[in-house]
Amino acid sequence: MLKALPLNRRGIPSSRIALGCMGLGGGWDREPVTASNMKQGHEALDAALSIGINFFDHADIYTRGKAEKVFGQIFKERPGLRGDILLQSKCGIKLMEPGDISNSFDLSREHILSSVDGTLARLGTEYIDILLLHRPDPLMDPEEVAEALHQLKASGKVRHFGVSNMSAAQIQLLQTYCDEPFIVNQLHMSLSRISWVDAVLSVNRDPWKDITFPEGTMEYCRAGNIQLQAWGPLAQGLFSGRPLEGQPENVVNTAAMVRRLADEKATTPEAIVLAWLMTHPAAIQPVIGTVNPQRIAACAGADQLELSRKEWYELYVTSRGEKLP
């Protein structure tokens, strides 16, 4: 049986799977939201609700704010919906503008506060259930962050806080100054992005290939009842129907194994890929990034599957393409 989410243990009634909304709103341009964009939003929302998803993940930058605008318009058209769902958004990334050489990160007090105000205006809501700090900012002053989060909590604009793409040490630094607990860490984890498992097994060994996941992050989050969320959990369809021409042998073999398990368990490849994450005892919450209603529906039942230890390890070893010691 799958373990309860840390969010649930904190009294937050979240579904086991979340829907990531980065694909809503059209392109990453400054064109207005269209009727077609709104139709897509309604259909994705309905597909998610139909399989029990009540948790929706946004960011201020997604399609340059248009993803949040789509949801804001949906709330206007469907009164009462806001109270039935959980909204998470993120701040801290500044998209490249003309004259800039790159995107940049900004966790200054002023940027956090202005970003949240923008998100609330686009969503047309008075509060965000959870706000994540989107990326580590090398120039971050944790005391400034603490001031911003305190102000957001006191004003009722944000109920809970978390981070994204951060290590245990980075969370610890923030928590030293912040009174409010960080209850989420959203990380890139999937059957194709397995460095979070490799990091556990690489202790006291020569570094394995592709070890970029900070050692101790999984353990820190589990010990602190911090919800681990996985972004990109479907691996962009790599194991559930995407063409595999030119892909390496380990990817082709993993896709074949996923299909075999799906057939044996009378389910979909998407459900197997998600079940591999959710079988882990850390109670990982996948944040699926598709807004295609058919692919959302294909994730139904993933939270009812639990792979055997043998199946879990076979998928992991096949994906990494290298035997364990």
Side-chain angles (χ1 to χ4, degrees):
M1 180 180 296
L2 297 181
K3 288 192 173 184
L5 295 177
L7 290 177
N8 299 158
R9 295 198 290 268
R10 292 180 182 272
I12 300 171
S14 173
S15 52
R16 195 64 178 74
I17 298 171
L19 182 71
C21 298
M22 187 172 69
L24 298 179
W28 289 63
D29 51 40
R30 301 190 185 281
E31 296 298 315
V33 171
T34 66
S36 176
N37 299 152
M38 290 305 306
K39 180 174 183 291
Q40 179 193 51
H42 280 288
E43 291 176 348
L45 174 66
D46 287 336
L49 294 173
S50 74
I51 65 169
I53 292 176
N54 75 339
F55 191 110
F56 297 87
D57 174 76
H58 284 269
D60 57 350
I61 63 166
Y62 287 169
T63 56
R64 290 191 176 272
K66 291 187 291 181
E68 291 178 334
K69 287 182 179 179
V70 167
F71 247 67
Q73 184 60 36
I74 288 175
F75 288 145
K76 291 179 181 178
E77 297 175 16
R78 298 166 76 161
L81 175 65
R82 177 65 185 95
D84 295 332
I85 67 174
L86 296 168
L87 280 179
Q88 175 173 278
S89 197
K90 313 179 195 73
C91 68
I93 297 178
K94 297 177 75 171
L95 294 178
M96 183 170 56
E97 299 289 350
D100 294 339
I101 63 170
S102 172
N103 295 340
S104 61
F105 307 133
D106 190 345
L107 291 180
S108 65
R109 176 181 176 277
E110 292 76 13
H111 184 76
I112 292 172
L113 295 176
S114 65
S115 292
V116 170
D117 284 343
T119 285
L120 293 174
R122 288 187 292 272
L123 288 172
T125 186
E126 295 180 352
Y127 68 96
I128 304 167
D129 292 286
I130 305 175
L131 174 70
L132 304 187
L133 306 179
H134 205 160
R135 289 276 180 182
D137 171 15
L139 297 180
M140 176 190 75
D141 181 341
E143 293 179 277
E144 270 196 50
V145 174
E147 291 174 8
L149 302 195
H150 177 78
Q151 185 171 332
L152 291 170
K153 179 74 172 187
S155 66
K157 293 179 179 180
V158 179
R159 294 186 171 177
H160 305 281
F161 300 95
V163 299
S164 181
N165 305 299
M166 290 200 189
S167 69
Q170 290 165 332
I171 302 172
Q172 285 177 308
L173 175 63
L174 284 166
Q175 196 66 83
T176 299
Y177 293 89
C178 296
D179 294 333
E180 286 297 315
F182 291 94
I183 68 170
V184 171
N185 190 9
Q186 187 177 119
L187 300 159
H188 196 182
M189 298 188 287
S190 73
L191 189 52
S192 70
R193 186 81 173 197
I194 56 175
S195 56
W196 59 280
V197 184
D198 293 343
V200 176
L201 297 174
S202 65
V203 174
N204 201 36
R205 293 181 54 79
D206 292 338
W208 288 9
K209 70 180 182 67
D210 198 33
I211 299 287
T212 58
F213 199 90
E215 182 184 323
T217 297
M218 293 290 293
E219 293 82 356
Y220 175 81
C221 291
R222 293 176 69 181
N225 199 34
I226 296 173
Q227 179 65 61
L228 284 157
Q229 293 178 343
W231 65 268
L234 291 172
Q236 297 183 317
L238 195 61
F239 307 122
S240 54
R242 203 171 94 191
L244 297 176
E245 290 81 2
Q247 293 291 342
E249 183 180 7
N250 64 309
V251 170
V252 174
N253 291 343
T254 304
M257 185 175 293
V258 167
R259 287 194 301 273
R260 175 177 61 78
L261 287 170
D263 290 343
E264 290 175 0
K265 298 176 185 293
T267 189
T268 63
E270 287 88 350
I272 295 295
V273 170
L274 294 180
W276 183 79
L277 280 170
M278 292 190 289
T279 295
H280 193 281
I284 296 166
Q285 182 182 39
V287 182
I288 59 174
T290 181
V291 293
N292 180 309
Q294 288 72 41
R295 290 202 70 212
I296 294 171
C299 298
D303 57 344
Q304 302 301 313
L305 290 172
E306 188 165 6
L307 303 178
S308 69
R309 180 178 286 264
K310 182 175 185 294
E311 290 167 339
W312 191 92
Y313 266 103
E314 285 179 345
L315 283 167
Y316 167 58
V317 173
T318 303
S319 178
R320 71 166 293 105
E322 181 177 344
K323 292 182 180 179
L324 300 182

